[in-house]
Amino acid sequence: MNEILKMSMNEMAEADFDCSCGRHHSLSIKKIAIGKGVIQQLPDIAAEFKGKQLYMISDNNTWKAAGEQAFKILSDSNFEVKSHQFETGTEILIPDELAMGRMLLEMPLGTALIVAVGSGTLNDMAKYLSSRTGIPYIIVCTAPSMDGYVADGAPLICNGRKISYVATLAYGVVGDTDIMKQAPMHMIHAGLGDVLGKLTALTDWSLAVAMIDEYRCETCVKLVEEALRKCIEFAPALKERNEEAILYLIEALTLTGVTMAIVGVSRPASGSEHLLSHYWEMDFIARHKYPELHGVKVGIATPIVAEIYQLLDDELPPETKALAPQREVVEALLESAGAMISPKEVGIDRDLFYRSLMEANTVRKRYSVFQYAKDKGRLEEIAGIITERIYGK
Ligand SMILES: NC(=O)C1=CN([C@@H]2O[C@H](COP(=O)(O)OP(=O)(O)OC[C@H]3O[C@@H](n4cnc5c(N)ncnc54)[C@H](OP(=O)(O)O)[C@@H]3O)[C@@H](O)[C@H]2O)C=CC1
Ligand SMILES: O=C(CO)COP(=O)(O)O
């Protein structure tokens, strides 16, 4: 097996190896610092850019969570930093054309390094800007809410559609667990949802191997499975913000990010549960409704996808059948941490829910259990059964 399986998260920066899957993998992130108090390492991590212009982006919440502190640490070390804070008020920041345009407009001339302070949205915006300008970026993570800190894709909203743009990896990732563990509990639930989504994402990947002979990297599967195991064991302790439970959550999010980064696609971390989440999100945004956190939606979608697998059990390829998680087990895990499990709780009505099951396979050009059910002529029947179970007759 490959040496990456023995590395700690922080050792994975600049990993470069020939993998047993037959491909060469490399992780171009220069510096990963995840742990207690690591925000103090910012001046070291950004050392190469001393004397040059830094551009810090945050929003009013993430400024309070870590932006102010990061700004002070850098300024006290004589870095030249211009800060722009998005004012989100009661709204949330949507990574769309408007927000992307504003971020570009505020960027000072001669910027040599972008420093994003936030979670999924700000990270994706910064990585997109970084990829298109060639200016490196550092992410100071504020919440263990999703697994995109180490990934190179940037799901953004363009013309109302959620599009995963190919972007770039961060120059540096700074995940101070003292800061991340203080994130709102709802964001911690989102992180757990995003991690549990890997149960069905990996099942979809195995289905794609069986049905369309898709490439699969066993090292990535092992990394995700091991991270999942520890995170699941400690899931109930997330309610109390138990240090170990939060650390395992951060580790699972980081390692799944690493797998996306080394294979260059989000397949190891994103399957049918993400298709449902993206479908709901686009519908909410089109109606100017709060779209709910990504990981919360992924968490709700995961037992639903598990149920689809259960309903197809009699005709699944054996290797996929062996992997398919049980709906009840995933729901119990979410409940043990206090997270939501019903689409009704986030305002998804019967019509949207049924439609999403029927159309989720159109969200991405990627083989999924939705495509499988459709090809077997069973999608309509399954969508009807699940909708009736949740919403009644
Ligand atoms: N690139 C990738 O591979 C991945 C990308 N994603 C993307 O990430 C996005 C979701 O990210 P997610 O992190 O869930 O949500 P957001 O980044 O949208 O965060 C929601 C809001 O939470 C607030 N917030 C963040 N940290 C803190 C904190 N410590 N204390 C208080 N408030 C805080 C911010 O305030 P405010 O309300 O002011 O905005 C923030 O905008 C989606 O667009 C999703 O598609 C998800 C997974 C992987
Ligand atoms: O959100 C993701 C992983 O958690 C990635 O989403 P996409 O697969 O849609 O790019």
Side-chain angles (χ1 to χ4, degrees):
M1 260 307 148
N2 300 298
E3 68 261 33
I4 196 162
L5 292 171
K6 297 193 207 108
M7 291 178 185
S8 70
M9 288 181 284
N10 293 350
E11 288 167 344
M12 288 180 184
E14 298 196 297
D16 187 76
F17 60 99
D18 287 321
C19 184
S20 51
C21 74
R23 292 193 183 177
H24 184 85
H25 296 315
S26 56
L27 186 70
S28 62
I29 299 179
K30 294 248 180 301
K31 295 171 189 183
I32 303 178
I34 295 176
K36 237 176 141 42
V38 295
I39 196 165
Q40 298 299 338
Q41 294 177 22
L42 255 179
D44 288 339
I45 291 169
E48 194 186 325
F49 304 92
K50 195 127 189 203
K52 299 182 181 160
Q53 181 69 52
L54 271 55
Y55 173 36
M56 181 182 288
I57 54 159
S58 61
D59 67 31
N60 40 343
N61 286 328
T62 63
W63 172 256
K64 274 190 235 134
E68 193 170 5
Q69 194 184 353
F71 185 82
K72 184 168 181 333
I73 289 169
L74 287 168
S75 303
D76 287 353
S77 297
N78 301 318
F79 280 86
E80 188 65 37
V81 194
K82 179 200 164 179
S83 163
H84 171 67
Q85 290 163 43
F86 283 94
E87 277 299 327
T88 53
T90 54
E91 303 283 304
I92 62 155
L93 186 61
I94 307 279
D96 60 7
E97 298 90 331
L98 190 66
M100 283 302 308
R102 183 71 195 273
M103 191 166 69
L104 182 62
L105 286 178
E106 295 292 341
M107 185 160 79
L109 272 176
T111 296
L113 177 72
I114 300 160
V115 181
V117 183
S119 52
T121 296
L122 283 158
N123 179 50
D124 285 337
M125 288 168 54
K127 83 168 74 155
Y128 185 85
L129 185 65
S130 167
S131 72
R132 296 318 190 256
T133 57
I135 300 169
Y137 90 101
I138 289 176
I139 174 71
V140 178
C141 318
T142 57
S145 51
M146 50 87 236
D147 59 3
Y149 293 123
V150 183
D152 58 359
L156 302 171
I157 301 288
C158 179
N159 212 11
R161 284 197 67 77
K162 181 113 180 162
I163 299 173
S164 274
Y165 291 93
V166 175
T168 189
L169 287 169
Y171 172 91
V173 177
V174 181
D176 190 327
T177 51
D178 286 338
I179 292 168
M180 294 170 85
K181 76 175 182 202
Q182 304 295 344
M185 186 48 74
H186 197 48
M187 300 197 85
I188 293 172
H189 288 158
L192 178 67
D194 209 14
V195 169
L196 294 182
K198 311 320 171 205
L199 291 166
T200 44
L202 290 183
T203 316
D204 263 14
W205 203 2
S206 134
L207 187 65
V209 173
M211 299 310 297
I212 57 164
D213 199 22
E214 198 177 290
Y215 154 80
R216 176 168 142 125
C217 169
E218 289 308 320
T219 304
C220 289
V221 173
K222 278 215 160 50
L223 273 175
V224 175
E225 281 177 347
E226 181 57 17
L228 256 169
R229 194 186 56 71
K230 286 196 264 177
C231 182
I232 284 174
E233 189 186 333
F234 282 81
L238 287 171
K239 279 201 297 281
E240 292 97 45
R241 294 176 192 272
N242 171 287
E243 292 262 350
E244 238 176 323
I246 301 269
L247 187 66
Y248 286 138
L249 174 62
I250 294 171
E251 187 176 80
L253 293 167
T254 307
L255 294 182
T256 54
V258 166
T259 63
M260 286 192 269
I262 65 178
V263 293
V265 282
S266 56
R267 179 54 111 174
S270 163
S272 296
E273 70 301 318
H274 275 71
L275 298 179
L276 277 182
S277 166
H278 291 343
Y279 191 97
W280 297 334
E281 182 165 328
M282 289 189 288
D283 185 274
F284 276 47
I285 289 175
R287 291 184 287 128
H288 305 287
K289 281 186 68 186
Y290 170 64
E292 193 40 83
L293 293 178
H294 165 82
V296 169
K297 297 192 294 292
V298 171
I300 289 171
T302 303
I304 291 161
V305 175
E307 188 173 3
I308 300 176
Y309 274 107
Q310 279 167 279
L311 291 166
L312 286 166
D313 190 61
D314 52 337
E315 45 190 327
L316 289 176
E319 56 278 36
T320 306
K321 193 171 166 150
L323 276 180
Q326 299 289 305
R327 167 173 74 86
E328 297 77 3
V329 172
V330 186
E331 283 183 349
L333 282 167
L334 287 165
E335 273 180 328
S336 74
M340 291 190 268
I341 58 165
S342 170
K344 290 198 257 184
E345 290 174 87
V346 292
I348 295 165
D349 65 21
R350 185 192 187 97
D351 171 62
L352 169 59
F353 184 76
Y354 181 79
R355 220 171 359 102
S356 66
L357 293 178
M358 293 301 295
E359 294 174 7
N361 68 314
T362 63
V363 171
R364 291 266 183 281
K365 284 197 186 85
R366 179 178 288 174
Y367 195 83
S368 68
V369 75
F370 288 112
Q371 193 58 48
Y372 185 78
K374 193 167 183 228
D375 293 345
K376 295 271 171 200
R378 295 192 55 191
L379 185 57
E380 207 169 332
E381 167 216 332
I382 285 172
I385 293 172
I386 303 178
T387 306
E388 203 169 300
R389 178 182 65 75
I390 298 174
Y391 293 87
K393 278 202 189 289

